[in-house]
Structures are given as C-alpha cells and as structure tokens.
Amino acid sequence: MRILVIDTATQAMSVALLDDGVPVAHFHDIVGRGHAEALLPVIAALPDGGRADAIAIDVGPGSFTGVRIGIAAARALALAWKLPLLGYGALSLIAARAAQDHAQGTITVTITGGHGELFWQSFAPDGRQPLTDPASTPIATLAAQLDTAVLYGTGAEALVTTRGHGTAVSLYPDARDYPLIAALPALPPIPIYGRGADARPMDDMQRR
C-alpha cells in the first residue's frame, strides 16, 4: 500500500511517499512560514506526482496556519484522487520517533506555540500510549510543572532553558516516521489547534 504523508504543523515542511512503510521519496526542510508556496510543488515532484492509495495528514496541534494549509491540500488531493484521508497528531509522531532512542521513563513532547506557550503531551515509554491530553501552557508554568529529565520537540530547548536543568532534544515531525504510528487509530482530518483562536468575534469585542 502506498501512502502520501503530509506534515506542515510546524516550521518544518515534511512530505513522504511510503510504499508498504518504505520511503519511495521524501522531502523535509525548515521553511518557516513558506508552506503555502512550497507544498504543492513538492508533492508534484514526487514519483507519479505523489499518487498513492491513501493520504495521511498531520492535524496538529502546531502552527495555526501550517495545520490549515496541510489539511486543505490533503483534502483537495483526497477528493480529486478519491482516496481515504487519515489524520494523525504532531505530538504523537514526535513521541514515536523519540521512543526509538529513549532510554526509559515517560516521554514528554513539546512544540512551540504562540504567545509564550508550548503545546505539550506526555506518553508512555513506547511513545504510542498517551498519558495526558494535548495542552497549551505558558512556558514558565510548564517549567515549574514538568520534572521530566529529557524533553523532546521544537519547544524542548526553550523549556529546558527556562527551568535551568534537563536535556533538550530538538525534533520536528518527519513524514518518514509515519509507519511508527500507522497502527494507531486514525484521527479525523480536522485541525487540532490546542488553544483558542487569537482573534475575537466582532460581537464579543463590542461587548467589552
């Protein structure tokens, strides 16, 4: 079975074409906010234009814009090619990758959020069983709350620096790692934002 995996939930843009779990082609780069311009050309450059039997998409949490861009592209391709669309979580993918090198104990993954907050979640040592729900927490609050020695993800360095101890392992979601979580139940292909929208409805603003 061939799966096209699309991941734009963080500053990384990661795309992989997997044939029975083996990468046929792969792109992974830190593009910042350039997902919208680069994503479709990257997919088009894959073998057979990225055609597959199914599409897997990172639904977040992560960058508000990045998550929406990835899901929109995945939905459009799934509709055009009449393919099933499978969602997965950014934190879960990083946790599963971290488990490959993690010695023992809880795996805690953090992703840079907005307004001084981090998205985070803790997992069992296998990296597949969540121990907490995804949450968005101010860095200072989380630094006082978490005592995990090793932290993973794009927000790990900021958290370790704030609390003054521990080891940070910077990891971005990588589409090649999808086989590590392929057996988990698929998530609906709808965004997981992890925190409320920054913008307030006009009616709410007028009531203030």
Side-chain angles (χ1 to χ4, degrees), residues 120-148:
W120 69 281
Q121 189 172 16
S122 292
F123 297 81
D126 65 359
R128 292 174 176 81
Q129 180 182 351
L131 301 178
T132 64
D133 293 327
S136 181
T137 305
I139 294 177
T141 302
L142 195 57
Q145 178 179 339
L146 289 178
D147 60 0
T148 311

Side-chain angles (χ1 to χ4, degrees), residues 49-142:
R51 290 269 184 163
D53 302 306
I55 299 175
I57 178 66
D58 189 335
V59 298
S63 162
F64 180 87
T65 302
V67 168
R68 289 173 65 88
I69 288 170
I71 291 178
R75 284 176 174 171
L77 292 174
L79 181 62
W81 295 342
K82 297 180 174 60
L83 300 179
L85 184 54
L86 314 171
Y88 67 88
L91 297 165
S92 294
L93 188 64
I94 294 176
R97 175 63 187 86
Q100 303 305 296
D101 304 309
H102 189 69
Q104 61 182 352
T106 299
I107 293 175
T108 299
V109 177
T110 67
I111 290 179
T112 305
H115 303 283
E117 296 189 2
L118 295 176
F119 299 116
W120 69 281
Q121 189 172 16
S122 292
F123 297 81
D126 65 359
R128 292 174 176 81
Q129 180 182 351
L131 301 178
T132 64
D133 293 327
S136 181
T137 305
I139 294 177
T141 302
L142 195 57

Side-chain angles (χ1 to χ4, degrees), residues 131-185:
L131 301 178
T132 64
D133 293 327
S136 181
T137 305
I139 294 177
T141 302
L142 195 57
Q145 178 179 339
L146 289 178
D147 60 0
T148 311
V150 182
L151 297 163
Y152 298 91
T154 65
E157 185 63 41
L159 189 54
V160 166
T161 298
T162 299
R163 74 181 191 180
H165 64 89
T167 301
V169 181
S170 180
L171 287 177
Y172 289 86
D174 192 324
R176 283 181 301 183
D177 294 329
Y178 178 74
L180 298 175
I181 60 170
L184 298 179

Side-chain angles (χ1 to χ4, degrees), residues 175-204:
R176 283 181 301 183
D177 294 329
Y178 178 74
L180 298 175
I181 60 170
L184 298 179
L187 301 177
I190 57 177
I192 298 175
Y193 292 125
R195 64 188 303 274
D198 296 330
R200 295 191 182 95
M202 183 62 70
D203 288 347
D204 183 50

